[in-house]
Amino acid sequence: MESRKKYQAIRNAPKHKKKETYTQGEIQVKKVNRRSFISAAGLGLGSLACSDLIDPRAQAKPGNHLSGKIITEPQKEIPVVRSADVVVCGAGPAGVAAAIAAARKGAKTIILDSQGCLGGIWTASLLSLILDTKEKKGIMAEILKRLVENGGLDSEGKRSNLYDPERMKLLLEEMCLETGVEIQYFTQIVDTVVENKQIKAVITESKSGREAITGKVFIDCTGDGDVAAQSGCGFDFGNPDTKAFQPMSFIVLLAGIQHEEVRQFYSKPRLLEEMNKAGFQPSYRGPSLFRIRNDFFAMMSNHEYGYRGFDVRELTRATLQGRKEMFQQINALRKYGGPWKNVQIVSTPSLIGIREGRRIHGLYTVGIEDLRVGKKHEDAVCSVAFPIDVHSTTKMKGKEVERAPFRVQPYDIPMRALIAKDVEGLMMAGRCISGDFIAHSSYRVTGNAVPMGEAAGELAAKAAKDGKNPSSYYVS
């Protein structure tokens, strides 16, 4: 009886008069005070019977209406559950660096991701290799140093930047939490609130329901430019001439083999020949075996052609086929015997590796000529030395990567390529920045994503503190 009275008192408590409201289409987004409910349902759980707890979303509401192939939802109020100076969307290498950098500059920062770990392509996709880190300072150098310290990257691995994905997960969480970054996993960003071309909030879906998070500056680090696209930004995708785009790769972790017995197969041609002898022809004609430790390896020998990373059905099909093929490959090698007789897959990715997504229009577009002449910028955030690396866009070409038109001269990524052109208060970092098809194939690697994220985070924190948009610092 006492617990029921307590809960009834909470329900009848006076409501705050001031409510912050945003409208997106027919959906009204309203900032409400949920502290009393959370206090009762969380901290006071010991004094409340389960039957006393009522989820606000379960209360009576007008039903959805189905008409043919269209469902009409009634207008609904979405609670604003968080507010931050900087909201980082996507927790891959660029997103983590952006969040850490913003928090270190004193900005209240939250990072959102659909997975259950930080790192994105590094961890959820099991990449296990960091490319183009030479002369990269700041957070990129710090990550490499701390990976050695936590055993995720050994002395031999340090030279090639091969790392243990599980150790990477732990390190990135430690670095974010040390700086006060709020981490929120299992969260899908499904929409945004844009008023007068200014982004105000992101709308999310999770086990906590449909919620909104407001911020002063938002950084899209989703890889596919999801937040920018949902906000109405223009973007490009694939080769503008052929409409083709690069394949995805399903990477796996292996055990049951030994470094000294398989080291000759670190050569792509030799590994391909060995697979063919085992009776299997992999979809990727340049299969790679990476040594993480003497008894622990990563293998990238799969290509999934013609699937877009921002189409959930295509992404699902690519994942199903990738996992199936990798088990077929490893089963064939194990039956072949020799050094492979005990080889086993010990982990498959929760997110297939995606090379190509939307390239969001920014204040500057990194283009093929930048690579040809080695263009420099006063607002450079990093220098890129990685070559043009267009993975064969169709299986029929039967080759590993397409021929590069020229040798890349080290070039700069300017801050302007990280600032959205069409929406204020929005930045990008990682492979979804503003660039063309050829340039993207060079700058997309994670050794460049980290300094991009770091620079974006620092500018976002400054803009939030100054009460300005990031673009205002670059408009003459």
Side-chain angles (χ1 to χ4, degrees):
M1 181 61 71
E2 183 179 347
S3 63
R4 187 173 296 277
K5 287 181 179 180
K6 180 186 290 188
Y7 180 64
Q8 194 64 36
I10 292 171
R11 292 189 62 187
N12 294 335
K15 295 182 179 179
H16 289 267
K17 292 183 179 180
K18 291 185 178 181
K19 295 183 179 181
E20 188 176 348
T21 301
Y22 297 107
T23 301
Q24 181 75 354
E26 293 185 354
I27 299 176
Q28 190 177 59
V29 184
K30 182 177 291 186
K31 187 169 184 178
V32 298
N33 190 315
R34 303 174 74 196
R35 184 176 300 171
S36 59
F37 177 81
I38 293 172
S39 176
L43 299 179
L45 193 59
S47 62
L48 291 177
C50 291
S51 59
D52 289 326
L53 299 178
I54 300 175
D55 189 332
R57 293 171 289 148
Q59 296 177 359
K61 63 179 181 180
N64 297 330
H65 176 67
L66 174 62
S67 177
K69 293 185 177 181
I70 298 294
I71 293 176
T72 302
E73 289 185 312
Q75 180 174 305
K76 58 181 67 174
E77 293 182 348
I78 302 173
V80 176
V81 297
R82 294 285 188 279
S83 184
D85 296 323
V86 177
V87 180
V88 180
C89 306
V96 168
I100 292 171
R104 286 178 176 175
K105 290 296 182 179
K108 181 181 178 183
T109 305
I110 183 170
I111 188 167
L112 310 171
D113 199 85
S114 60
Q115 302 294 310
C117 62
L118 299 178
I121 185 69
W122 276 350
T123 54
S125 300
L126 305 181
L127 179 59
S128 306
L129 174 65
I130 309 173
L131 296 171
D132 202 5
T133 63
K134 188 177 181 180
E135 297 183 2
K136 298 295 196 303
K137 300 179 180 179
I139 292 175
M140 185 69 261
E142 183 180 347
I143 288 172
L144 292 176
K145 179 177 181 294
R146 292 183 62 166
L147 270 177
V148 174
E149 294 171 352
N150 83 351
L153 191 150
D154 64 24
S155 57
E156 182 172 343
K158 186 177 180 180
R159 291 193 292 274
S160 57
N161 293 336
L162 287 162
Y163 63 89
D164 182 335
E166 290 301 320
R167 300 279 180 158
M168 178 71 86
K169 290 178 186 178
L170 179 64
L171 172 61
L172 298 182
E173 288 178 339
E174 289 174 347
M175 291 179 69
C176 281
L177 294 174
E178 287 168 2
T179 56
V181 174
E182 181 181 350
I183 301 170
Q184 184 169 312
Y185 290 143
F186 316 116
T187 300
Q188 189 74 43
I189 298 170
V190 296
D191 206 348
T192 64
V193 177
V194 177
E195 295 179 350
N196 299 320
K197 294 189 175 182
Q198 178 86 34
I199 185 169
K200 298 285 189 178
V202 291
I203 298 175
T204 68
E205 289 277 8
S206 69
K207 284 185 175 293
S208 296
R210 194 171 178 92
E211 299 176 329
I213 298 172
T214 61
K216 297 177 181 177
V217 180
F218 295 78
I219 309 177
D220 188 337
C221 300
T222 62
D224 293 312
D226 294 337
V227 175
Q230 290 161 352
S231 300
C233 290
F235 63 87
D236 299 308
F237 174 69
N239 188 320
D241 297 323
T242 65
K243 308 303 179 184
F245 48 91
Q246 297 178 78
M248 302 178 189
S249 285
F250 196 87
I251 300 173
V252 297
L253 299 183
L254 304 176
I257 51 178
Q258 295 296 323
H259 166 63
E260 289 300 328
E261 296 180 355
V262 299
R263 63 187 309 171
Q264 63 176 308
F265 302 117
Y266 298 161
S267 162
K268 292 182 179 183
R270 288 185 179 179
L271 181 57
L272 179 60
E273 181 182 3
E274 185 81 343
M275 287 183 162
N276 289 337
K277 287 180 179 179
F280 197 93
Q281 190 173 90
S283 56
Y284 178 40
R285 306 304 294 163
S288 301
L289 181 67
F290 305 131
R291 170 197 171 277
I292 299 173
R293 289 191 291 273
N294 286 342
D295 59 351
F296 187 42
F297 301 80
M299 179 178 279
M300 196 274 279
S301 51
N302 164 265
H303 268 177
E304 293 301 329
Y305 296 93
Y307 296 116
R308 294 167 294 178
F310 48 83
D311 184 303
V312 68
R313 281 161 286 278
E314 293 183 11
L315 191 59
T316 299
R317 287 196 292 272
T319 300
L320 292 171
Q321 292 177 181
R323 183 172 287 114
K324 178 181 179 181
E325 183 191 339
M326 290 310 299
F327 271 95
Q328 289 174 335
Q329 287 185 23
I330 300 308
N331 288 342
L333 285 171
R334 187 167 56 253
K335 290 179 181 178
Y336 183 60
W340 311 101
K341 62 182 179 181
N342 295 317
V343 66
Q344 295 285 346
I345 292 176
V346 295
S347 184
T348 62
S350 58
L351 178 65
I352 192 170
I354 303 170
R355 289 186 178 83
E356 200 162 354
R358 304 179 185 93
R359 305 187 302 274
I360 306 303
H361 294 171
L363 300 183
Y364 180 90
T365 300
V366 182
I368 187 171
E369 283 304 309
D370 294 37
L371 283 61
R372 192 191 305 273
V373 304
K375 193 164 185 178
K376 305 299 179 182
H377 297 275
E378 290 184 3
D379 60 334
V381 303
C382 72
S383 177
V384 179
F386 200 70
I388 294 170
D389 184 36
V390 179
H391 281 238
S392 188
T393 52
T394 66
K395 189 174 183 180
M396 298 301 294
K397 292 183 178 181
K399 54 186 177 182
E400 177 185 345
V401 295
E402 299 185 11
R403 185 176 180 180
F406 54 84
R407 185 171 181 173
V408 170
Q409 300 301 311
Y411 62 97
D412 290 345
I413 300 291
M415 181 69 80
R416 287 162 292 153
L418 278 58
I419 301 173
K421 176 182 178 181
D422 301 323
V423 173
E424 294 287 4
L426 179 61
M427 302 184 69
M428 305 83 67
R431 59 184 172 86
C432 63
I433 69 165
S434 184
D436 69 15
F437 176 72
I438 295 295
H440 168 273
S441 74
S442 167
Y443 63 65
R444 64 176 165 79
V445 296
T446 60
N448 299 312
V450 171
M452 286 185 211
E454 183 174 2
E458 290 179 351
L459 180 60
K462 176 176 174 56
K465 180 180 179 181
D466 294 345
K468 296 182 178 180
N469 287 314
S471 63
S472 66
Y473 300 98
Y474 295 92
V475 176
S476 57

